[in-house]
């Protein structure tokens, strides 16, 4: 019994210690961002591997999610004779929720895990140590550009996801099920608010992106330098990001849309 | 460089208990000792990547662990280190790996960088391999590229971590010659950490044998061979049992077998 409580305590302390280290690490990364102004090329390269390579999966997923929304929305709305509002349903679901959330989850699976594995392996093969001995700060050269690239690409990817999704919904709703295209677009235009919907969606995607890359680069940098350690860091990146994003989504949604307007 | 009364522990494991030694300028000094005595740890302490629990390390008159970050980085530019596995950056080819410290720390024009890199690669005999990626190199070649990179900034001191381990005899010979040549032509202070007795003895000016966290013997290679210390004799001749036990500390064998139960 005592042993159980003791190990619970150790576990709790371990979590807080990691949280603390994660925050200190974040500070170090943020302070290093300035050095990237001198070498924007580093960020551009990472934008390619973090952002562009995630583009395809985000594009395809956005299309399918939009198509499913179109179909489901149509089935429900037509019961009330409100098919013309299909555009609104599709657009609001995407912009407010599915765009930021699903993109962040895909981002964790495609880019976050790769970042954690790459940085963890660089640590395991002593490349980070080697850089330090060459008087090069690995946080500046390796971590900061990846971090910035992730933070920049997430909102863009989420926007692409939503945009493609709207077309996916239109393809099913208008193209296959016969909703009036004029109504699809005009109702959407009338009901989607720039401030309440688009801005809030963008804020969500920025927050999720920040958290997702933070977790990824920290897990990689903090990984135990063995193959097992790297594999654990990769798994943890995906799991923790998913939990953090879904939890934060609830909090942000409550803050943004919680009070009746 | 001088180390005084160095204490260091990895977690609960004591690695150094009052290590003191001097490394003279422009010579080849060797640290020898069996695996796990903390030779790599010592080099990381010298490079300022780890902090000692107690004691000081002075390199070129500066206390490594008292320096501010910027000064430490300045000092590191004047220290080259050759890692056990090379530690090459795997996403850059051989040329770019050697050019890396130059690009990071100098504003030289591209043509000059090219010439400097080719000079360094020629020195290790790999000018022709400049377009290969690290994954395409053999262990010995990777180590030579890492050596070229370590001397790219013309350091005053270079540290070799196990430069001979895991190499075939020919490559070993090449590395021995290279270390010697670099020491003579560039006047580099060289620090070789190794457990390969023959190769190390053949190039070192001065040898320290480290065990149990302390220097147990030091002197010129010739003097070491005649050392009266049973420990040094065991290490030099490679006998399995002696002052350094073959067995890791364990309870009595017979009791252990009879005890049964779980591990
Ligand atoms: N990061 C670490 N954490 C805990 N123990 C370590 C760590 N690095 C090395 N050690 C331990 O310290 C001892 C010395 O390691 P090392 O300096 O690599 O020895 P050597 O290079 O002489 O073979 C080893 O027994 C190793 O198990
Ligand atoms: Mg070692």
């Amino acid at each position: 019994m005592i042993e159980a409580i003791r190990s619970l305590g150790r576990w709790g302390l371990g979590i807080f210690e990691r949280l603390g280290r994660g925050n200190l690490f974040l500070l170090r990364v943020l302070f290093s961002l300035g050095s990237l102004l001198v070498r924007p090329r580093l960020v551009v390269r990472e934008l390619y591997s973090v952002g562009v390579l995630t583009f395809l999966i985000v594009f395809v997923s956005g299309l399918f999610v939009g198509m499913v929304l179109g179909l489901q929305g149509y089935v429900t709305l037509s019961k009330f004779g409100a098919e013309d509002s299909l555009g609104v349903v599709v657009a609001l679901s995407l912009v407010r929720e599915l765009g930021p959330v699903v993109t962040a989850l895909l981002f964790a699976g495609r880019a976050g895990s790769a970042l954690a594995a790459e940085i963890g392996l660089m640590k395991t093969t002593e490349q980070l140590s080697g850089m330090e001995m060459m008087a090069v700060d690995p946080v500046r050269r390796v971590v900061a550009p990846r971090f910035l690239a992730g933070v920049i690409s997430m909102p863009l990817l989420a926007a692409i996801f939503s945009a493609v999704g709207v077309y996916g919904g239109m393809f099913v709703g208008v193209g296959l099920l016969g909703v009036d295209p004029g109504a699809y677009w005009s109702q959407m235009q009338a009901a989607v608010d720039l401030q309440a919907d688009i801005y809030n969606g963008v804020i969500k995607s920025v927050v999720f992106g920040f958290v997702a890359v933070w977790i990824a680069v920290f897990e990689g940098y903090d990984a135990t330098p063995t193959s097992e350690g790297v594999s654990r860091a990769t798994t943890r990146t995906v799991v923790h990001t998913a939990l953090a994003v879904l939890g934060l989504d609830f909090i942000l949604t409550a803050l943004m849309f919680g009070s009746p307007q | 460089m001088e180390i005084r009364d160095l204490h260091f522990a990895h977690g609960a494991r004591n690695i150094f208990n009052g290590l003191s030694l001097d490394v003279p300028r422009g010579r080849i000094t060797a640290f020898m000792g069996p695996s796990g005595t903390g030779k790599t740890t010592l080099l990381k302490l010298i490079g300022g990547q780890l902090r000692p629990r107690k004691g000081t390390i002075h390199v070129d008159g500066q206390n490594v662990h008292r320096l501010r970050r910027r000064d430490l980085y300045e000092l590191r530019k004047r220290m080259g280190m050759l890692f056990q596995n090379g530690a090459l950056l795997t996403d850059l080819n051989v040329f770019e790996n050697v050019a890396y410290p130059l690009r990071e720390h100098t504003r030289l024009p591209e043509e000059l960088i090219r010439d400097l890199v080719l000079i360094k690669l020629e020195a290790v005999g790999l000018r022709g391999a400049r377009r290969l990626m690290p994954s395409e190199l053999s262990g010995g070649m990777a180590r030579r590229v890492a050596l070229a990179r370590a001397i790219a900034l013309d350091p005053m001191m270079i540290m070799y971590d196990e430069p001979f381990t895991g190499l075939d005899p020919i490559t070993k010979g090449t590395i021995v010659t290279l270390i010697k040549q670099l020491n003579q032509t560039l006047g580099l202070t060289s620090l070789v950490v190794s457990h390969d007795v023959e190769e190390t003895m053949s190039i070192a000016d001065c040898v320290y044998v480290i065990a149990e966290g302390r220097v147990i013997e030091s002197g010129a290679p010739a003097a070491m061979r005649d050392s009266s210390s049973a420990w040094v004799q065991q290490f030099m001749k490679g006998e399995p049992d002696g002052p350094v036990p073959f067995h890791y500390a364990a309870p009595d064998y017979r009791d252990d077998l009879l005890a049964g139960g779980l591990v």
Side-chain angles (χ1 to χ4, degrees), chain A residues 39, chain B residues 95 98-120 151-154:
Chain A
R39 285 161 201 262
Chain B
F95 182 93
V98 179
Y100 190 81
L102 294 168
R103 292 196 202 286
E104 284 293 327
H105 296 306
T106 66
R107 294 242 162 273
L108 297 175
E110 190 55 33
E111 279 174 31
L112 196 50
I113 288 188
R114 191 187 123 89
D115 290 348
L116 282 173
V117 171
L118 292 185
I119 291 171
K120 305 296 175 189
I151 56 173
L153 288 173
D154 292 321

Coordinates of all heavy atoms in Angstrom, one line a residue, chain A residues 39, chain B residues 95 98-120 151-154:
Chain A
R39 N 19.5 33.5 -40.9 CA 19.6 32.4 -41.9 C 18.2 31.9 -42.2 O 17.8 30.8 -41.8 CB 20.4 31.2 -41.2 CG 21.8 31.5 -41.2 CD 22.5 30.6 -40.2 NE 23.8 31.1 -39.8 CZ 24.9 30.7 -40.4 NH1 24.9 29.7 -41.2 NH2 26.0 31.3 -40.0
Chain B
F95 N 31.6 16.7 -48.4 CA 32.1 18.1 -48.5 C 31.4 19.0 -47.6 O 32.1 19.8 -46.9 CB 31.9 18.5 -50.0 CG 32.4 19.9 -50.3 CD1 33.7 20.1 -50.8 CD2 31.6 21.0 -50.1 CE1 34.2 21.3 -51.0 CE2 32.1 22.3 -50.3 CZ 33.4 22.4 -50.8
V98 N 32.5 18.8 -43.9 CA 33.7 19.4 -43.6 C 33.6 20.9 -43.6 O 34.2 21.7 -42.9 CB 34.9 18.9 -44.5 CG1 36.2 19.6 -44.1 CG2 35.0 17.4 -44.4
A99 N 32.7 21.4 -44.6 CA 32.5 22.8 -44.7 C 31.7 23.4 -43.6 O 31.7 24.6 -43.3 CB 31.9 23.1 -46.1
Y100 N 31.0 22.5 -42.9 CA 30.0 23.0 -41.9 C 30.5 24.0 -40.9 O 30.0 25.1 -40.7 CB 29.3 21.8 -41.2 CG 28.1 22.1 -40.4 CD1 26.9 22.4 -41.0 CD2 28.2 22.3 -39.0 CE1 25.8 22.7 -40.2 CE2 27.1 22.6 -38.2 CZ 25.9 22.8 -38.8 OH 24.8 23.2 -38.1
P101 N 31.6 23.6 -40.2 CA 32.1 24.6 -39.2 C 32.6 25.9 -39.8 O 32.4 27.0 -39.2 CB 33.3 23.9 -38.5 CG 33.5 22.6 -39.2 CD 32.3 22.3 -40.1
L102 N 33.1 25.8 -41.0 CA 33.6 27.0 -41.7 C 32.4 27.9 -42.0 O 32.4 29.1 -41.8 CB 34.3 26.7 -43.0 CG 35.6 25.9 -42.8 CD1 36.1 25.4 -44.2 CD2 36.6 26.8 -42.2
R103 N 31.3 27.3 -42.5 CA 30.1 28.1 -42.9 C 29.5 28.7 -41.6 O 28.9 29.8 -41.6 CB 29.1 27.2 -43.6 CG 29.5 26.8 -45.0 CD 28.3 26.3 -45.7 NE 28.6 25.4 -46.8 CZ 29.1 25.8 -47.9 NH1 29.4 27.0 -48.1 NH2 29.4 24.9 -48.9
E104 N 29.5 27.9 -40.5 CA 28.9 28.4 -39.3 C 29.7 29.6 -38.7 O 29.1 30.5 -38.1 CB 28.8 27.3 -38.3 CG 27.7 26.3 -38.6 CD 26.3 26.9 -38.4 OE1 26.1 27.8 -37.6 OE2 25.4 26.5 -39.2
H105 N 31.0 29.5 -38.7 CA 31.8 30.4 -37.9 C 32.6 31.4 -38.7 O 33.2 32.3 -38.1 CB 32.7 29.6 -37.0 CG 32.0 28.7 -36.0 ND1 31.1 29.2 -35.2 CD2 32.1 27.4 -35.8 CE1 30.6 28.3 -34.4 NE2 31.2 27.1 -34.8
T106 N 32.6 31.3 -40.0 CA 33.3 32.3 -40.8 C 32.4 32.9 -41.8 O 31.4 32.4 -42.1 CB 34.6 31.7 -41.4 OG1 34.1 30.8 -42.4 CG2 35.4 31.0 -40.4
R107 N 32.9 34.0 -42.4 CA 32.1 34.6 -43.5 C 33.0 34.5 -44.8 O 33.0 35.5 -45.6 CB 31.8 36.1 -43.2 CG 30.9 36.3 -42.1 CD 29.6 36.9 -42.5 NE 28.5 36.7 -41.5 CZ 27.7 35.7 -41.5 NH1 27.8 34.8 -42.5 NH2 26.8 35.6 -40.6
L108 N 33.7 33.5 -44.9 CA 34.6 33.3 -46.1 C 33.8 33.2 -47.4 O 32.7 32.6 -47.4 CB 35.5 32.1 -45.9 CG 36.4 32.1 -44.7 CD1 37.2 30.8 -44.5 CD2 37.4 33.3 -44.8
P109 N 34.4 33.7 -48.5 CA 33.7 33.5 -49.7 C 33.7 32.0 -50.1 O 34.6 31.2 -49.7 CB 34.6 34.3 -50.7 CG 35.9 34.5 -50.0 CD 35.6 34.5 -48.6
E110 N 32.8 31.6 -50.9 CA 32.5 30.2 -51.3 C 33.8 29.6 -51.9 O 34.1 28.4 -51.5 CB 31.4 30.1 -52.3 CG 30.9 28.7 -52.6 CD 30.5 28.0 -51.3 OE1 30.0 28.6 -50.3 OE2 30.7 26.8 -51.3
E111 N 34.6 30.3 -52.7 CA 35.7 29.7 -53.3 C 36.8 29.3 -52.3 O 37.4 28.3 -52.4 CB 36.4 30.7 -54.3 CG 35.6 30.7 -55.6 CD 36.2 31.8 -56.6 OE1 37.4 32.1 -56.4 OE2 35.4 32.3 -57.3
L112 N 37.0 30.2 -51.3 CA 38.0 29.9 -50.3 C 37.5 28.7 -49.4 O 38.3 27.9 -49.1 CB 38.1 31.2 -49.4 CG 39.3 31.2 -48.5 CD1 40.6 31.0 -49.3 CD2 39.4 32.6 -47.9
I113 N 36.2 28.7 -49.1 CA 35.7 27.5 -48.4 C 36.0 26.2 -49.1 O 36.5 25.2 -48.6 CB 34.2 27.7 -48.1 CG1 34.0 28.7 -47.1 CG2 33.6 26.3 -47.6 CD1 32.6 28.9 -46.6
R114 N 35.8 26.3 -50.5 CA 36.0 25.1 -51.3 C 37.5 24.7 -51.2 O 37.8 23.5 -51.0 CB 35.6 25.4 -52.7 CG 35.6 24.2 -53.7 CD 35.4 24.7 -55.1 NE 36.5 24.2 -55.9 CZ 36.5 23.1 -56.5 NH1 35.4 22.3 -56.5 NH2 37.5 22.6 -57.2
D115 N 38.4 25.7 -51.3 CA 39.8 25.3 -51.3 C 40.2 24.7 -49.9 O 40.9 23.7 -49.8 CB 40.6 26.6 -51.5 CG 40.5 27.0 -53.0 OD1 40.0 26.2 -53.8 OD2 41.0 28.1 -53.3
L116 N 39.7 25.4 -48.8 CA 40.0 24.9 -47.5 C 39.5 23.5 -47.3 O 40.2 22.6 -46.8 CB 39.4 25.8 -46.4 CG 40.1 27.2 -46.2 CD1 39.3 28.0 -45.3 CD2 41.5 26.9 -45.6
V117 N 38.3 23.2 -47.7 CA 37.7 21.9 -47.5 C 38.5 20.9 -48.3 O 38.9 19.8 -47.8 CB 36.2 21.9 -47.9 CG1 35.7 20.4 -47.9 CG2 35.4 22.7 -47.0
L118 N 38.9 21.2 -49.5 CA 39.7 20.3 -50.3 C 41.1 20.0 -49.7 O 41.6 18.9 -49.7 CB 39.8 20.8 -51.7 CG 38.5 20.8 -52.5 CD1 38.7 21.1 -54.0 CD2 37.8 19.4 -52.4
I119 N 41.6 21.1 -49.1 CA 42.9 20.9 -48.4 C 42.8 19.9 -47.2 O 43.6 19.0 -47.1 CB 43.5 22.2 -47.9 CG1 43.9 23.1 -49.1 CG2 44.7 22.0 -47.0 CD1 44.2 24.5 -48.7
K120 N 41.7 20.1 -46.4 CA 41.5 19.2 -45.3 C 41.2 17.8 -45.7 O 41.7 16.8 -45.2 CB 40.3 19.7 -44.4 CG 40.5 21.1 -43.9 CD 41.6 21.4 -43.0 CE 41.7 22.8 -42.7 NZ 43.0 23.2 -42.0
I151 N 39.5 19.4 -37.9 CA 40.6 20.3 -38.1 C 40.3 21.5 -39.0 O 41.1 22.3 -39.3 CB 41.9 19.6 -38.6 CG1 41.6 18.9 -39.9 CG2 42.4 18.7 -37.6 CD1 42.8 18.3 -40.6
A152 N 39.0 21.6 -39.4 CA 38.6 22.6 -40.4 C 38.9 24.0 -39.9 O 39.3 24.8 -40.7 CB 37.1 22.4 -40.7
L153 N 38.7 24.2 -38.6 CA 38.9 25.6 -38.1 C 40.3 25.8 -37.5 O 40.5 26.7 -36.8 CB 37.9 25.9 -37.0 CG 36.4 26.1 -37.4 CD1 35.5 26.2 -36.2 CD2 36.3 27.3 -38.3
D154 N 41.2 24.9 -37.9 CA 42.6 24.9 -37.4 C 42.6 25.1 -35.9 O 43.1 26.1 -35.4 CB 43.3 26.1 -38.1 CG 43.6 25.8 -39.5 OD1 43.8 24.6 -39.9 OD2 43.4 26.7 -40.4

